[in-house]
Amino acid sequence: MTMPSSTNMPKHIAIIMDGNNRYGRSQNLATGQGHIKGKDALNPIVERCLAYGVQVLTVFAFSSENWARPKSEVELLMRLLSQTIYEQMPRMNRYRIRLRFIGDRSGLSSDLVKLMEDAERQTAHFEAMTLVIAISYGGKWDIATATKTLAQKVSAGQINADEIDEYMLANHVQLSDCPPVDMLIRTGGDYRISNFLLWQAAYAELFFTPTLWPEFDVSELDAMVQEFVNRERRFGRTSEQIAGDNLKGVESCGNE
């Protein structure tokens, strides 16, 4: 493994793992087998991010829009999510990785929710890295939920409406205690972010690849990270300002 020659490594990488069904069809696999292959593709990526020193890796496992898929596929994805959690727990313990979940849990089965809660509780003290799995998640839902919480606080007299600004809202969206997304990767060939981490990825560097998720490997991730460290991230400033002032983000992903 050759590490990129830069200290400007991403703190938070987010991945839209797209292309499982198309991979299955391309390989003449039985229905749903593409998703199984996609599940197995996650492990080496997690280990690579840990080796990079990435603080947070967030992966899009099931979107709020995915509920509209055929019932049989949704049921399969729910089973695979449960299986993924079971399989990841020994790895989380071995590598001291914290496991977290974001998304609307109201539509999930009680068994899956309990499994998620148990995994979060058992790994809450790990600090090597945080793996976030987005289940039943949508960026618009996330922002709307944060807005609703603020509205309730205004109604209760806890805050004044004039106090609400982008910083206060940022403290109420999912992963508010984590660094903002530095890199957002989408596999599968589409050029959109599909309602994923809309707030958190406001200044993310975007990477798109035609590679289907089950075929995405660490060598392609390496190339993207190398490109990331070579990009100039100005955050509205000029190149001259950036040259003399390195922006500092949130240092860690704290416990809730």
Side-chain angles (χ1 to χ4, degrees), residues 48-63:
R48 197 63 143 199
C49 287
L50 180 63
Y52 286 149
V54 170
Q55 294 177 14
V56 187
L57 171 64
T58 302
V59 296
F60 209 4
F62 189 86
S63 74

Side-chain angles (χ1 to χ4, degrees), residues 25-81:
R25 289 193 295 268
S26 71
Q27 302 297 313
N28 296 315
L29 301 178
T31 302
Q33 291 298 305
H35 288 297
I36 295 175
K37 291 293 185 180
K39 175 179 66 66
D40 296 337
L42 180 60
N43 292 339
I45 300 302
V46 170
E47 292 182 23
R48 197 63 143 199
C49 287
L50 180 63
Y52 286 149
V54 170
Q55 294 177 14
V56 187
L57 171 64
T58 302
V59 296
F60 209 4
F62 189 86
S63 74
S64 53
E65 290 78 17
N66 285 154
W67 289 109
R69 291 195 173 193
K71 182 180 178 180
S72 59
E73 184 175 353
V74 171
E75 291 174 347
L76 170 64
L77 289 170
M78 291 297 113
R79 290 196 300 272
L80 289 178
L81 287 171

Side-chain angles (χ1 to χ4, degrees), residues 147-161:
T147 304
K148 181 179 179 181
T149 299
L150 290 175
Q152 291 171 338
K153 289 185 176 182
V154 172
S155 180
Q158 298 175 357
I159 60 173
N160 190 297

Side-chain angles (χ1 to χ4, degrees), residues 169-184:
L169 182 57
N171 286 326
H172 288 79
V173 296
Q174 306 270 291
L175 300 181
S176 60
D177 57 333
C178 294
V181 177
D182 295 307
M183 289 181 64
L184 193 153

